[in-house]
Amino acid sequence: QVQLVESGGGLVQSGGSLRLSCTASGRIYRNNVMGWYRQAPGKQRELVADITLGGSTSYADSVKGRFTISRDNAKNTAYLQMDSLKPDDTAVYYCKADIRQWWYESSVDYWGEGTLVTVSS
């Protein structure tokens, strides 16, 4: 099986920064796209940013210019550097990875349990 473990959430003041980490472990043949999603109270889960195995990135319009996603393929780890945080960024942040466990299988999406980010005004 595959597990994703997130870390780095917490409480920060508006304008501050946090760095989230997500590490995938277990049987991994190929770790394709890794992404960060968030879900605020009463809202649907939304994509924040994702990054391909080759390093191509995409961002939600609301975080462009403030958040940076990166990954270390050797460590199966993705990072989300969050700068200039706003109260609207308050949410549970989830990591997702599109992983193929065996060369002959299709890839499957795996999710972490989430880490809470709270931005105070």
Side-chain angles (χ1 to χ4, degrees), residues 40-101:
K43 295 187 177 181
Q44 288 189 332
R45 191 173 298 188
E46 62 175 0
L47 174 66
V48 176
D50 62 21
I51 183 167
T52 68
L53 183 61
S56 297
T57 59
S58 63
Y59 296 90
D61 288 342
S62 58
V63 306
K64 281 181 182 176
R66 300 188 299 121
F67 291 9
T68 303
I69 190 170
S70 61
R71 65 187 286 173
D72 183 334
N73 292 331
K75 297 180 179 179
N76 279 310
T77 298
Y79 306 95
L80 185 67
Q81 177 66 41
M82 304 185 294
D83 299 318
S84 303
L85 282 161
K86 306 174 182 179
D88 284 349
D89 295 317
T90 295
V92 177
Y93 284 70
Y94 297 91
C95 176
K96 188 183 82 168
D98 175 42
I99 289 175
R100 182 184 292 187
Q101 286 195 275

Side-chain angles (χ1 to χ4, degrees), residues 98-120:
D98 175 42
I99 289 175
R100 182 184 292 187
Q101 286 195 275
W102 303 95
W103 65 270
Y104 52 83
E105 289 184 341
S106 300
S107 59
V108 174
D109 286 340
Y110 293 90
W111 289 88
E113 293 189 350
T115 184
L116 177 62
V117 172
T118 304
V119 184
S120 62

